[in-house]
Amino acid sequence: MSPAPDLHANLRRAPVQQRSAERLSRILDACAELLDETGYEDLSTRAVAQRAGVPIGSVYRFFGNKRAMAEALAARNLDRYAGMINARLENIEAADWRGAVDAVLDEYLVLKQTVPGFNLVDFGGPQPVPDPDSDANHILADRLAELLPSQFGRTLDADLRRIILVAVEAADATLRLAFRTDPQGDPGIVAETRQLLHAYLARTLD
């Protein structure tokens, strides 16, 4: 099991006051915007500082380098996604695992279509990663494994963790195809992804 990413784990200094937290948020917002405009290779801490309207020293107060900044952005994305899923699950009956899977897919599409920088830095930071178990799909599968067992009517064990990881990997592959075909996600391929997930998980959850 890979460790859950923590926004503050990537910080040199965690914000204590509201003003510092707001400055950190502006820095990450600027990082996300510039990722879309320049890509990760051309991203620089100086450009982020200029876009955020903060001194370069403010960026270095929080981050030692651009990788730490991108990893913090990924952790923020994952926290946001988990919150979106939890909000949806409140309105889905506990036994409705298909409804839970649909919520996971739907909210991912929202992030993919609307959140700056998400296409380059989603949940695991820039690639490659030093530990294969710390890539974005492993990190996402671990977080989903915390959120979904009660909805699935299953106790979380090694088998369920593996099933969730395989589902995440399969969905990732088909959704990459969907967004290569259409910048907003080809609706037909998204529908096929939904059917694929339902059919695969039905073997275990029905």
Side-chain angles (χ1 to χ4, degrees):
M1 177 181 175
S2 56
D6 177 5
L7 170 59
H8 290 172
N10 296 290
L11 301 181
R12 281 177 158 177
R13 180 183 302 174
V16 177
Q17 299 179 339
Q18 180 67 23
R19 182 179 176 184
S20 293
E22 291 172 353
R23 180 168 291 186
L24 172 60
S25 181
R26 289 208 311 275
I27 290 170
L28 292 178
D29 288 344
C31 176
E33 292 171 4
L34 287 169
L35 280 169
D36 277 345
E37 295 173 16
T38 70
Y40 178 72
E41 291 302 320
D42 292 328
L43 181 71
S44 73
T45 52
R46 184 168 299 278
V48 169
Q50 291 174 346
R51 177 64 61 90
V54 301
I56 186 66
S58 293
V59 175
Y60 285 120
R61 186 175 298 120
F62 293 120
F63 303 108
N65 52 49
K66 69 177 184 179
R67 184 177 188 92
M69 187 164 48
E71 287 174 347
L73 179 62
R76 186 176 75 166
N77 287 341
L78 185 59
D79 285 343
R80 177 182 297 180
Y81 184 45
M84 293 163 67
I85 292 171
N86 273 326
R88 284 284 300 274
L89 292 180
E90 290 179 359
N91 298 312
I92 298 173
E93 293 185 9
D96 183 8
W97 67 262
R98 286 179 177 80
V101 169
D102 287 344
V104 168
L105 179 58
D106 292 343
E107 298 306 322
Y108 178 83
L109 293 172
V110 170
L111 293 180
K112 188 82 171 171
Q113 293 164 349
T114 64
V115 173
F118 191 79
N119 285 324
L120 289 180
V121 175
D122 47 17
F123 303 124
Q127 302 294 322
V129 294
D131 177 5
D133 288 340
S134 296
D135 72 11
N137 285 344
H138 278 79
I139 289 169
L140 175 58
D142 283 344
R143 181 62 72 90
L144 292 177
E146 297 171 2
L147 296 174
L148 295 175
S150 61
Q151 207 79 31
F152 285 177
R154 284 278 303 265
T155 300
L156 182 59
D157 55 18
D159 288 342
L160 185 56
R161 285 189 182 279
R162 184 179 63 253
I163 289 165
I164 291 173
L165 176 60
V166 170
V168 167
E169 290 281 358
D172 179 54
T174 54
L175 290 175
R176 285 179 186 274
L177 174 60
F179 281 89
R180 286 200 306 270
T181 305
D182 180 336
Q184 289 299 304
D186 181 90
I189 298 175
V190 170
E192 295 287 347
T193 301
R194 197 180 305 274
Q195 292 181 29
L196 181 153
L197 291 174
H198 287 182
Y200 171 65
L201 292 170
R203 304 176 317 142
T204 302
L205 302 179
D206 273 348

